[in-house]
Amino acid sequence: MKHLKYFPTISTQRLKHTCKGVAALKLKSILQGELMMKNSSGRASKIPALNPMNPGVLQNHRTAFVTALSGLDTALTLEIYMTAFPSLVHPTKNRLDITLFICGESSSKTQLKEKLIAAFLNIKPALGTLFPEADFQPVTQLKELKSLRAYQHFKYATIVDRKFSEIELEFPFVHKPIGFGSDTGEKTVESQKNNIRHIFQWTPSGSDWSDLMGMMLNQLDANRVIIRLNRSASIKHAVENLRQTVSVCDRFLGTKSPEGSTQKEQAQSIKNQALSRISGLMTAGFNVGVYLLSTNPASEFLATILACAITGTGSNGKSETFWEGGFRISKTTVKKAVDIRHFPDETEPFTAVEAACAFRLPSPPFEEIPPRDTGEKISNGSVNHQQHANRRNTNIPWRQYP
Amino acid sequence: MTKAMHNAVPDPERLEFTREISHEDSKEFLHGMEQETTNNTSIKLAMAEELRSLGLTEKAISRQLNIITGRTDG
């Protein structure tokens, strides 16, 4: 009998002043949503919180997982690779690999290995508890680990990031005597402008990511989504900036001008956003990077689908959501996109709720899928099922039995 | 004797019975614990072997798995 290994293999690379290492857990199968419902004790209940397929419940689990990661060692970075291998000849042979990597950097190789193993020992039970539908197994072969990290055939990289804008709050003119003018009785009229750098927080999209996976598998060539996360070191600085934003908004709201009620409403909304970010960052703060690697430059559409799968767009016409959601897409190099220490903006940490919008797994597929046993058994005993009739098949092994 | 005081007086038979049960229970519990610890230790020793092959030091293995490996580094 083949001995099943408990720990993943570790690949290390000695650089000039440091040592890099990586270990991985690969998604072997995912339980169908239908079966998740059947096996749930709350299946007969009408209480939405007991429904394991409720998008809110799934999102809560994702947030809980990311919050648990606030205990992650600062030398470590986590990455989710979602790689699609479309097959033009046989669409039924489309493949989608989902892997969670634990990466790290340290001056000592032995210290780094211990940190990776310690992280694995913490992450494995959290995955099993919070994502019971997903069956993650450690990658035990070095060759497989290296092939999962390979990126040489990708030529283009795109970043999906949060939107930000410099907002100028209207402020009444103040007459202030300054400099020589004050001595002569002349008064200088100065326009005092309050500029605020506002980050549009990501909000859960509510998407099950089936659209994203479908889009990835309908490309001409292989493509990969990288979602990177580590603990932020600039929480204090970010909170200080946010406090300043709140105080600027307060000052603006405190003015008695009857004009500009719309601006005041906006200032109130921005202030509420800033307060919610302060509250979130007081629990935990993360650096998050979302990248799309492709072999052709026509990946703008896919990047937009990816962004919409991550966050709500804030364009539902409600004034409360005007200052949140949305995204920014920009180009980068493949080299930067695969660098474990690269993040688009390290000065603006993400809250756990925001990070969980991106650092997550696809929801268990929740369609009425007529199971079709192809007879093709996969290593772990699961069976391929035909996906939706008008969609290409993937060979993510949807698990038939829990 | 008030009703409350009456309730507070222990029933010797009942006490004896409870003592016997808890003694048996604790014996069984300890036996179960021992068995579980032995099982866990044997699994942990196999895990230690795996970690050794990955290049972790004996100290690191002891720390991570909470066992005494009986070996020393170097």
Side-chain angles (χ1 to χ4, degrees), chain A residues 85-99:
Chain A
F85 300 96
S87 167
L88 297 175
V89 186
H90 301 290
T92 50
K93 287 187 178 171
N94 282 344
R95 209 175 87 229
L96 190 76
D97 281 348
I98 299 178
T99 315

Side-chain angles (χ1 to χ4, degrees), chain A residues 5-10 113-114 117-118 121, chain B residues 47 50-51 54-57 60 63-65:
Chain A
K5 288 188 176 176
Y6 187 83
F7 293 101
T9 187
I10 298 173
K113 281 185 175 180
E114 189 182 353
I117 290 298
L121 285 170
Chain B
M47 285 180 174
E50 243 187 82
L51 291 180
L54 287 173
L56 264 76
T57 61
R63 239 189 331 257
Q64 294 304 326
L65 300 180

Side-chain angles (χ1 to χ4, degrees), chain A residues 6-17:
Chain A
Y6 187 83
F7 293 101
T9 187
I10 298 173
S11 164
T12 52
Q13 188 188 4
R14 168 67 66 194
L15 302 169
K16 206 173 180 183
H17 302 290

Side-chain angles (χ1 to χ4, degrees), chain A residues 26-30 83-87 90-98 213 217 374 376-380 382-387 391-399:
Chain A
K26 194 175 174 186
L27 182 69
K28 290 284 179 186
S29 70
I30 193 162
T83 312
F85 300 96
S87 167
H90 301 290
T92 50
K93 287 187 178 171
N94 282 344
R95 209 175 87 229
L96 190 76
D97 281 348
I98 299 178
M213 291 188 296
L217 290 163
T374 58
E376 186 190 340
K377 295 279 177 189
I378 301 175
S379 57
N380 63 350
S382 45
V383 181
N384 277 352
H385 289 162
Q386 190 181 25
Q387 273 207 304
R391 190 178 293 169
R392 284 183 178 184
N393 286 8
T394 73
N395 81 343
I396 285 186
W398 305 120
R399 221 182 316 153

